Amino acid sequence: MRRVYLDHTATTPLHPQVFEAMIPYLKEKFGNPQSLHFVGQEALNAIEEARERVAGLIKAQPEEIYFTSSGSESNNFALKGFALAHRSRGNHIVLSAIEHQSILHSAKNLEKIGYTFSYVPVDEYGMVDPEEVKKVLTKETILVSIMLANGEVGTIEPVAEIAKVCRNHDVLFHTDGVAAVGNIGVDVTKLEVDSLSLAGNQFYGPKGCAALYIKKGARIFSFIDGGIQEKGRRAGTENVAGIVGLGKASEIAKDILEQRIEKVKPLRDKLIQRLPQKVEHVRITGHPERRLPHQTSFCIEFVEGEAMLLNLDMQGVAASSGSACTSRELKASHVLLAMGINHATAQGSILFSLIEETTLEDIDYLLEVFPPIIDRLRKMSPLYTKYLEEKEK
Amino acid sequence: MRRVYLDHTATTPLHPQVFEAMIPYLKEKFGNPQSLHFVGQEALNAIEEARERVAGLIKAQPEEIYFTSSGSESNNFALKGFALAHRSRGNHIVLSAIEHQSILHSAKNLEKIGYTFSYVPVDEYGMVDPEEVKKVLTKETILVSIMLANGEVGTIEPVAEIAKVCRNHDVLFHTDGVAAVGNIGVDVTKLEVDSLSLAGNQFYGPKGCAALYIKKGARIFSFIDGGIQEKGRRAGTENVAGIVGLGKASEIAKDILEQRIEKVKPLRDKLIQRLPQKVEHVRITGHPERRLPHQTSFCIEFVEGEAMLLNLDMQGVAASSGSACTSRELKASHVLLAMGINHATAQGSILFSLIEETTLEDIDYLLEVFPPIIDRLRKMSPLYTKYLEEKEK
């Protein structure tokens, strides 16, 4: 059976060069970077080189990069670290309604200890209006957190504009860049954010290694307390091989980002164009232009996401529904609901996200196997039967 | 030049079988365990198998194992997670004076938000007396955290006895098992602790992957908020290859722990016996019997740890001084000071920790190159000159 992996959003495979770069650090170069001997020094040099490479990808300074274990940890670190460090200035934090759960659930726990939250809405394309952010700022507001791009619907938010609003009001601004970094150009000197999360497994780096950019001079609490790693802000023996892999993935992304985009975007566009021609009652989600180049999600009426995924899987196609971290939860996506999509339609969400290995044949294969799946599932759907009956009347 | 790695405490190399087990998960089996398709299922099966293996090593149930990114994260998770979850019962926590900095620094931050701490002393061998723990318990005490073994001086603490004291007083008990697990037999059903930290890179598993055992039914706050990974207690895309490696390292440790001990202990014992014969003014630290089998640390008078390390490094020998996480801090070890060793003597700390590849020739080489280093360093020491002058009087 043909195998077609269209689940970049869940994770990319490792780039072969990333794999090669990691291997020595899983074998002979096994030192602890904090050790004061040759074996340690070798590992320390490797993580500092990786720090430069990650910084290079987003135009940061190396000393502004802090390694973590996942995009979720980076988001927890930023939200909780800023909230706790700036408590004396206020207790109010602003989020968008479509943030990742690592932001939303951190907020729930910060609420328990006295912080209050406002959630700015998004339009039908999942776009935040910077004016809406301005409206909810109070003199108690210390932090705003709005993602750079939404991994599920692909919409790219006006982060530079929102950051400007925050600067003008002396409020910190964090952006979750996990879905964006490595897939579109990101330049922190232009975005002018105070912090930004990124994760290696979103751009052909390893799972288990991610980073938080923290602007020089920003005051933040440490997230993992202990040793002096990461300047005392994130303790724990470094995942050297993972960090080296993240560094290599960053270097590659910086070098060939444009080529990657040129390769996946036409294939993605073909999917956006053809799928609604082959399947009825399909809604394309996300912004028509301001969107990630490698993915597209649809709401397919009268079918459920899980059923589509399982049937696609039987045909060798790996895709997802909702965000990766919630896919086993099987809830309707909070992102789609916030965009005004009704619950039943949101249940029929399907997300196809391309990797650099994706071929035209893969897309054609999907376009061939997907419509019969939908037909079959709809025949079993009481809602669809009802719809057809009403249509005939 | 001969290379002799005697810094197990900083990190072990990967066991070749661990490396082999990880490789497929860095290549073709790259899925996100939360994805609802074949590639995801394959990754999910792998981490659940690893969970069983880690559980097997410490006689826990698989559902009691939570994967983290380091021993430090596990310790932060336990201390902060229990403290926050049980705040309504009290705000007092008991530690030993020789805990790892991931425990001690977490305590410093918990103090800022209203928790109070008592520190039980240790004797000259670094041993905690369970009676001392009992003495400091108050009706406000919610948690005691005492390490299973100290990585620096090797002393194994009477954790089962302390756990019993805690149970009798309805107080939670966490133990930092990072230095112990994989190096001595650990059985949570006998220790009867509420939680226990362990780290893969202490027993030939990967850096960047560790675990926290949490006894079934124990109430604890999540550490990283977000997705449903690790039953919602530790969000973030799983470090699949790292977890698989930790699982394999656990399986190997369970199978061959006795052989490993039988191999390294006689070599370590030779070092304990011979080094003080070859170098004057040496004090062996840690308990004479209740100690880890693979390491020994010494305080060498009239020399500084850093100078010894750098000179040993020039001879190809990798060792450490103080704990790994603080080695670049170059402070006198809080562990040695707590054992009543004076500051000047504590500065001369040197720790040799053996790995399973260590040979008799390695130990003989160390015994050959080390005494001349000490002689040379002492000749440059004003303190030593003064000592000799006073001795002559």
Side-chain angles (χ1 to χ4, degrees):
Chain A
M1 187 172 57
R2 189 180 184 98
R3 290 225 164 263
V4 176
Y5 185 80
L6 294 171
D7 202 4
H8 178 134
T9 306
T11 190
T12 55
L14 270 193
H15 191 287
Q17 287 176 32
V18 171
F19 175 80
E20 291 305 327
M22 291 172 71
I23 293 303
Y25 297 91
L26 294 171
K27 297 187 91 167
E28 69 279 9
K29 299 184 178 184
F30 63 83
N32 181 324
Q34 301 306 321
S35 295
L36 283 173
H37 49 60
F38 173 77
V39 194
Q41 191 62 48
E42 195 174 53
L44 185 66
N45 294 345
I47 68 171
E48 294 312 318
E49 185 185 45
R51 204 182 304 279
E52 284 172 25
R53 289 172 168 180
V54 174
L57 178 61
I58 59 168
K59 301 219 162 79
Q61 300 301 311
E63 59 271 30
E64 295 175 318
I65 302 298
Y66 295 80
F67 292 114
T68 68
S69 67
S70 66
S72 291
E73 184 188 331
S74 294
N75 282 334
N76 274 252
F77 185 178
L79 207 71
K80 296 173 182 175
F82 278 139
L84 294 169
H86 296 268
R87 180 66 187 84
S88 61
R89 295 174 54 207
N91 71 339
H92 180 240
I93 297 171
V94 177
L95 308 178
S96 86
I98 63 163
E99 293 303 299
H100 187 259
Q101 295 202 311
S102 53
I103 295 286
L104 296 174
H105 290 191
S106 289
K108 289 279 163 257
N109 277 327
L110 285 170
E111 263 179 11
K112 289 184 198 158
I113 57 169
Y115 292 84
T116 63
F117 287 81
S118 296
Y119 297 86
V120 293
V122 293
D123 66 14
E124 61 184 305
Y125 301 120
M127 188 75 83
V128 171
D129 180 353
E131 286 301 313
E132 295 285 339
V133 175
K134 200 191 281 182
K135 268 198 248 169
V136 296
L137 297 178
T138 73
K139 62 178 180 22
E140 285 293 314
T141 310
I142 50 176
L143 175 64
V144 172
S145 180
I146 311 274
M147 63 195 351
L148 185 44
N150 184 286
E152 198 178 327
V153 297
T155 303
I156 299 171
E157 303 296 341
V159 160
E161 291 85 334
I162 301 169
K164 201 174 166 189
V165 168
C166 293
R167 253 191 333 280
N168 291 342
H169 289 79
D170 199 23
V171 164
L172 289 159
F173 182 56
H174 168 67
T175 192
D176 171 0
V178 169
V181 173
N183 295 304
I184 56 171
V186 173
D187 179 342
V188 293
T189 66
K190 287 186 182 150
L191 294 179
E192 294 193 70
V193 295
D194 295 291
S195 62
L196 176 145
S197 308
L198 62 93
N201 78 317
Q202 291 297 309
F203 54 99
Y204 311 98
K207 281 180 283 298
C209 193
L212 181 65
Y213 156 82
I214 305 172
K215 195 176 180 175
K216 212 184 294 182
R219 219 159 60 79
I220 190 165
F221 270 23
S222 59
F223 186 63
I224 301 182
D225 298 311
I228 58 170
Q229 295 93 350
E230 305 298 304
K231 292 182 269 173
R233 283 178 165 173
R234 202 273 186 182
T237 297
E238 298 91 339
N239 176 359
V240 179
I243 289 172
V244 167
L246 176 59
K248 189 67 188 172
S250 299
E251 186 187 58
I252 297 170
K254 193 185 166 198
D255 289 348
I256 66 163
L257 184 59
E258 286 310 313
Q259 286 148 264
R260 267 186 191 156
I261 293 174
E262 278 163 34
K263 186 169 182 303
V264 294
K265 196 168 173 295
L267 298 178
R268 190 277 311 267
D269 288 346
K270 180 172 184 184
L271 200 51
I272 289 185
Q273 193 202 346
R274 293 287 172 82
L275 196 129
Q277 295 169 352
K278 298 196 150 207
V279 178
E280 282 189 303
H281 311 296
V282 166
R283 173 172 171 170
I284 303 163
T285 62
H287 196 277
E289 287 97 36
R290 282 188 59 102
R291 61 182 302 144
L292 295 172
H294 61 280
Q295 55 88 270
T296 179
S297 82
F298 302 96
C299 285
I300 318 260
E301 307 254 13
F302 312 117
V303 286
E304 293 210 337
E306 189 190 3
M308 285 189 277
L309 291 184
L310 298 178
N311 278 274
L312 280 167
D313 189 34
M314 284 190 277
Q315 301 286 337
V317 178
S320 59
S321 172
S323 80
C325 296
T326 56
S327 56
R328 283 190 190 274
E329 270 187 329
L330 306 172
K331 281 187 193 165
S333 154
H334 68 285
V335 176
L336 299 176
L337 298 178
M339 287 160 61
I341 295 172
N342 71 51
H343 200 275
T345 304
Q347 292 277 17
S349 144
I350 185 106
L351 166 58
F352 299 109
S353 45
L354 287 61
I355 56 174
E356 55 184 0
E357 289 85 354
T358 305
T359 62
L360 184 59
E361 289 70 34
D362 290 337
I363 299 300
D364 288 341
Y365 179 72
L366 172 65
L367 287 167
E368 183 194 317
V369 300
F370 193 55
I373 289 173
I374 301 303
D375 283 348
R376 205 164 54 241
L377 291 174
R378 280 185 177 154
K379 277 188 191 132
M380 298 185 289
S381 158
L383 278 176
Y384 189 61
T385 312
K386 201 176 156 198
Y387 161 80
L388 290 180
E389 283 168 5
E390 283 181 6
K391 202 178 149 193
E392 278 185 18
K393 277 177 198 165
Chain B
M1 187 172 58
R2 189 181 184 99
R3 291 222 165 267
V4 176
Y5 186 80
L6 294 171
D7 203 4
H8 177 134
T9 305
T11 189
T12 54
L14 272 192
H15 192 287
Q17 288 177 32
V18 172
F19 175 80
E20 292 305 327
M22 290 172 71
I23 292 303
Y25 297 92
L26 294 171
K27 297 188 91 166
E28 69 279 8
K29 299 183 177 183
F30 63 84
N32 181 325
Q34 301 307 321
S35 295
L36 282 174
H37 48 61
F38 172 76
V39 194
Q41 190 62 48
E42 195 174 54
L44 185 67
N45 292 346
I47 69 172
E48 293 313 318
E49 185 185 44
R51 204 182 303 279
E52 283 172 26
R53 288 172 168 179
V54 174
L57 177 60
I58 59 168
K59 301 221 162 81
Q61 300 301 311
E63 61 270 30
E64 295 174 318
I65 301 299
Y66 295 80
F67 293 114
T68 68
S69 67
S70 67
S72 291
E73 183 187 333
S74 294
N75 282 334
N76 274 253
F77 185 179
L79 207 69
K80 296 173 182 174
F82 278 139
L84 294 170
H86 297 268
R87 180 67 187 84
S88 62
R89 294 175 53 207
N91 71 340
H92 180 240
I93 298 171
V94 177
L95 310 177
S96 87
I98 63 163
E99 294 302 299
H100 187 259
Q101 295 202 310
S102 53
I103 295 287
L104 296 175
H105 290 190
S106 289
K108 289 281 163 253
N109 277 327
L110 285 170
E111 263 178 11
K112 290 184 197 159
I113 56 169
Y115 292 85
T116 63
F117 286 82
S118 296
Y119 297 85
V120 294
V122 294
D123 66 14
E124 61 183 306
Y125 301 122
M127 188 75 83
V128 172
D129 179 354
E131 285 301 312
E132 295 285 338
V133 175
K134 200 191 282 183
K135 269 197 245 168
V136 296
L137 297 178
T138 73
K139 64 180 178 20
E140 286 292 315
T141 310
I142 50 176
L143 175 65
V144 172
S145 179
I146 311 275
M147 63 197 347
L148 185 44
N150 184 287
E152 199 179 327
V153 297
T155 303
I156 298 170
E157 304 296 341
V159 160
E161 291 84 334
I162 301 169
K164 199 174 169 192
V165 168
C166 293
R167 254 191 333 279
N168 290 342
H169 290 79
D170 198 21
V171 165
L172 288 159
F173 182 56
H174 168 68
T175 191
D176 171 0
V178 169
V181 172
N183 295 302
I184 56 170
V186 173
D187 178 342
V188 293
T189 65
K190 286 185 182 150
L191 294 178
E192 295 194 70
V193 296
D194 294 292
S195 62
L196 176 146
S197 307
L198 63 94
N201 77 317
Q202 291 298 310
F203 55 99
Y204 311 97
K207 281 180 284 298
C209 193
L212 180 65
Y213 157 82
I214 304 172
K215 195 176 178 175
K216 212 184 296 181
R219 218 159 61 79
I220 190 165
F221 270 23
S222 58
F223 186 62
I224 302 182
D225 298 310
I228 58 171
Q229 294 93 350
E230 303 298 305
K231 290 182 268 172
R233 283 178 164 173
R234 202 275 184 180
T237 297
E238 298 91 339
N239 177 0
V240 179
I243 290 171
V244 167
L246 176 60
K248 188 68 189 174
S250 300
E251 185 187 59
I252 296 170
K254 192 185 167 200
D255 288 349
I256 66 164
L257 184 60
E258 286 309 313
Q259 286 148 262
R260 268 187 191 157
I261 294 174
E262 277 164 36
K263 185 169 181 306
V264 294
K265 197 168 173 293
L267 299 177
R268 190 277 312 266
D269 289 345
K270 181 172 184 184
L271 199 51
I272 291 185
Q273 193 202 346
R274 292 288 173 83
L275 195 127
Q277 295 169 351
K278 297 197 152 211
V279 179
E280 281 188 303
H281 311 295
V282 165
R283 173 172 170 168
I284 303 163
T285 62
H287 197 277
E289 288 98 35
R290 283 187 58 102
R291 60 182 302 144
L292 296 172
H294 61 281
Q295 56 89 271
T296 178
S297 82
F298 303 96
C299 286
I300 319 261
E301 307 254 11
F302 313 115
V303 286
E304 291 209 338
E306 189 191 4
M308 285 189 276
L309 290 186
L310 297 178
N311 278 275
L312 281 168
D313 189 33
M314 284 188 278
Q315 301 286 339
V317 178
S320 59
S321 173
S323 79
C325 295
T326 57
S327 55
R328 285 190 188 275
E329 270 187 328
L330 305 171
K331 281 187 192 164
S333 155
H334 69 283
V335 176
L336 299 175
L337 298 178
M339 287 160 62
I341 295 173
N342 70 53
H343 200 275
T345 304
Q347 291 278 18
S349 143
I350 186 107
L351 166 58
F352 300 109
S353 45
L354 287 61
I355 56 175
E356 55 183 359
E357 290 85 354
T358 305
T359 61
L360 184 58
E361 289 69 33
D362 290 336
I363 299 300
D364 288 340
Y365 179 72
L366 172 66
L367 287 167
E368 182 194 317
V369 300
F370 193 55
I373 288 174
I374 300 303
D375 283 347
R376 207 163 53 241
L377 291 174
R378 280 185 178 157
K379 277 188 191 135
M380 299 184 290
S381 159
L383 277 176
Y384 189 61
T385 311
K386 200 176 156 197
Y387 162 79
L388 289 180
E389 285 167 6
E390 283 182 6
K391 201 178 150 193
E392 278 185 21
K393 278 176 199 167

